[in-house]
Amino acid sequence: MDGQPVHHHLGVSAFANYAVMDARGLVAVGNDVPPEVAAVLGCAVLTGGGALRNAAGASGSEDVAIVGLGGVGMAALLVAVGQRTTGKILAIDANEDKLAVALELGADAACTPQEVAGRGAEIAIEAAGHPRAFETALAATAVGGTLVTVGLPAPGAMSAIEPLSLTAGARTIIGGYMGSALPANDIPYYEGLWRAGRLPVQKLVRTRPMEQINEALDELAEGRSVRQVLLP
């Protein structure tokens, strides 16, 4: 602009009025999908749902434990509920209010990290991005089960693992960046679930006008909201 380079954040030009996009980075959704729903389908749902469907290969019959009930964790919960057949869903977080929301959204049980002992699931999803959350998710992974970690901890953060628990318990640990997703395939799937009423992501979203961006970021930093979408 005016002879000077303009840089954008993470390739998405966040908060810009206009953006030039590569067509390969776009996935069309129906005109009936509200912007705040589409925004979540392409981010939190893609990551949390992909951890289940792509990385862990969940079919709906497995018991699932989800550690960290932020936007990604709650999205993983909704996808697990939406495609569930016989599996049970355990929600885990240190925030009691979020545990209550998880139960309202369809979790069969909810507990704090201190209450995980004795509970186990075939698939565990770590969505908090904290070393202790990773350790909690591993503790919640049943014998023969799979842990998928999608949280982004600080660089250099370390977790402690007892190798014997992996070998003797035949447990698998998988990393899933952005849910190991192929957006062109995955987003239409989630759009279909939403349209069928089986993925009510609008329940996770609070919309705000752009003028309230500072308040929105404060709530995010303090863990008082799940997902906020800023509208013009």
Side-chain angles (χ1 to χ4, degrees), residues 118-156:
R119 303 169 185 252
E122 296 162 78
I123 297 173
I125 307 296
E126 182 281 305
H130 192 281
R132 292 292 298 277
F134 177 83
E135 294 168 3
T136 298
L138 183 57
T141 305
V143 171
T146 298
L147 162 59
V148 181
T149 175
V150 294
L152 293 174

Side-chain angles (χ1 to χ4, degrees), residues 70-140:
V72 171
M74 286 293 196
L77 169 65
L78 284 180
V79 172
V81 171
Q83 68 172 33
R84 169 172 55 188
T85 53
T86 59
K88 301 296 184 181
I89 301 169
L90 171 64
I92 304 169
D93 199 284
N95 187 313
E96 296 283 354
D97 292 337
K98 291 184 177 180
L99 295 180
V101 172
L103 290 172
E104 293 175 3
L105 293 177
D108 296 286
C111 71
T112 66
Q114 293 74 26
E115 298 168 330
V116 167
R119 303 169 185 252
E122 296 162 78
I123 297 173
I125 307 296
E126 182 281 305
H130 192 281
R132 292 292 298 277
F134 177 83
E135 294 168 3
T136 298
L138 183 57

Side-chain angles (χ1 to χ4, degrees), residues 26-39 41-42 183-184 186-192 194-195:
L26 302 175
V27 177
V29 296
N31 291 333
D32 60 321
V33 182
E36 59 269 26
V37 169
L41 294 182
D186 290 16
I187 290 178
Y189 172 79
Y190 299 129
E191 180 185 359
W194 172 82
R195 191 170 282 109

Side-chain angles (χ1 to χ4, degrees), residues 9 31 66 74 78 82 94 154 161 175 178-179 187 204 212 231-232:
H9 179 59
N31 291 333
I66 300 170
M74 286 293 196
L78 284 180
I161 297 175
M178 286 295 293
I187 290 178
L204 305 180
Q212 295 181 9
L231 299 176

